[in-house]
Amino acid sequence: MMGVPEVVVVSSDGMRSLVVVGGQWGDEGKGKVVDLIAGAFDAVARYNGGHNAGHTVRYGERRFALHLVPSGIVHDGTLCVLGAGMVVDPEALVAEIGHLAEQGVSVEGRLLVSERATLLLPTHRALDLARERARGQGRIGTTGRGIGPAYQDLASRRALRAFLLTDPGRLAERARALMAEHNRELESLHGAEAVDLGRAVEAVVAAARELAPMVGDVGKALLRTHGEGGRILFEGAQGILLDVFHGTYPFVTSSSCLPGLAAVSCGVPPRMVGPVLGVMKAYTTRVGGGPFPTELEDAVGERLRERGAEFGTTTGRPRRCGWFDAVAARYAVRVAGIDALALTKLDVLDGLDEVQVAVAYEDGQGRRLDVPPGDSEAFERLRPVYETFPGWSGSSAGATDEVDLPEGAVAYVRQLERLLGVPVVLVSTGPRRRETILRGDGPVGRFLRRIVGSPD
Ligand code: IMP
């Protein structure tokens, strides 16, 4: 009988695993942080969402746009896995693998898709778009990739799962039946055009032929890596405030973004999922609808958008921009169990006269709240209570050491540590790897210092 596998979270050579999550509404710059550290891990696992996520990884002169494949793929020999909690569009995954191959990165033998992952079909995309249209003013502002409808099929137990990719006959039959149901909703409920089933089934089956060798038991592979003394990085997509349970529901994505899902999705013991590194921007952005108390619809907001190049990687949409919201961030630290923070895009705040941070909310009737409410309609009505900090005139752009930062910028980082109660162990001052400051002590800080080495 197989025993319970031994799990070592901290060993003499340092931590054995780490989870990286976004601590706001996504787009915090997780891609750069993960990319910086992924080379030190033997396996990298994505555990939630699908191709709604997106980031660009730079490797030498090459740039890779990744949506589904974990960023570890650019490092030779790293095993990359997609957990059971993901929704996988077979065509999108094949396209991404092709894009990697064109740039000389082969996924062969290194990419494993959980046989239990949910398949996202062309009709899911059509339903996502039709439902958004039907929501009118109340639309969520989804990425239009079909994520919500795919998770809905999972929850209602009619989804197709990735093991079917290895059985084209059964896949074609099941895909046709499910997409026919989707077409009925598209036509009768939304008056939308039905998806051409013949073409859609053919496309899914063609993608399946390429993906079949990559389907398997993710938990087993990760436990083997762990058992051999390897390190595992769990890569969360989106952000804590977009979590389907704990985010600003219904203006959320349809999966959990919390680190706990890493264990659930990958089928490994929760204690194997290591400390949590949260990534937060030095200000706040969100795309799509929903509460955003510190949003700035003025020249400062515009400046953040321009300087921060705040346009969606997946959809190209301009992001809503505003001040750092320490109330929402503190809540994210709590529900996600964030142990340490990576603070990104600090340089975008350079040159402002003053910088504001929301430290509480106020409900218009004199009541102050220090946590976001579960009711998003009530949340929409709240106003931020700001603490104002002096800006700084020098430049933090490209700084590689804390001593090179303007004093005001260092003070700002320390204020955020005070407000959130967790150390900032990494500060990103530009898009390049070397534009990074490692700081602070504590286990995660020390671990990062050991593994990052000297970025190029
Ligand atoms: P969906 O995940 O496409 O259903 O979109 C639901 C909400 O999550 C929308 O507000 C999206 O803009 C947001 N969202 C989904 N993925 C990302 C991401 O990777 N970054 C930022 N926002 C995202």
Side-chain angles (χ1 to χ4, degrees), residues 145-296:
R145 297 291 191 268
I147 306 296
Y151 276 113
Q152 185 187 5
D153 277 348
L154 171 67
S156 55
R157 295 162 295 187
R158 63 175 191 176
L160 308 193
R161 302 210 295 171
F163 66 83
L164 285 170
L165 295 172
T166 64
D167 189 346
R170 203 145 60 108
L171 173 65
E173 193 184 311
R174 299 272 313 272
R176 182 178 294 279
L178 182 56
M179 290 198 288
E181 281 188 49
H182 292 158
N183 269 347
R184 280 195 285 281
E185 177 182 335
L186 281 167
E187 287 180 310
S188 62
L189 219 60
H190 301 294
E193 206 177 311
V195 169
D196 180 332
L197 287 189
R199 279 233 295 271
V201 171
E202 201 178 304
V204 173
V205 170
R209 290 194 203 285
E210 298 204 32
L211 298 177
M214 301 169 205
V215 176
D217 186 334
V218 156
K220 196 169 162 192
L222 290 181
L223 280 166
R224 188 183 314 122
T225 301
H226 184 87
E228 290 168 357
R231 289 192 186 118
I232 302 172
L233 176 65
F234 296 93
E235 185 181 345
Q238 290 87 43
I240 300 306
L241 301 170
L242 287 172
D243 179 88
V244 69
F245 302 106
H246 298 281
T248 46
Y249 190 91
F251 301 99
V252 291
T253 190
S254 296
S255 72
S256 176
C257 307
L258 261 49
L261 189 73
V264 174
S265 171
C266 295
V268 296
R271 64 190 183 285
M272 195 170 123
V273 175
V276 182
L277 177 66
V279 185
M280 295 192 191
K281 247 182 257 199
Y283 49 97
T284 311
T285 64
R286 88 173 287 175
V287 277
F292 184 178
T294 60
E295 182 169 16
L296 294 168

Side-chain angles (χ1 to χ4, degrees), residues 25-27 52-54 140-144 147-148 238 242 252-253 287-288 317:
W25 279 289
D27 307 318
N52 48 348
I140 292 159
T142 72
T143 58
I147 306 296
Q238 290 87 43
L242 287 172
V252 291
T253 190
V287 277
R317 291 180 288 180

Side-chain angles (χ1 to χ4, degrees), residues 25 27 46 58 63 130 137 147 154 167 180 182 275 290 305 309 333 338 367 376 387 397 409 420 433 436:
W25 279 289
D27 307 318
R46 266 279 307 272
R58 294 163 188 243
R63 285 163 140 258
Q137 284 301 321
I147 306 296
L154 171 67
D167 189 346
H182 292 158
R305 189 172 305 112
V333 166
I338 291 173
R367 275 189 296 266
S376 280
E387 210 171 298
L420 304 185
R433 288 181 176 193
T436 303

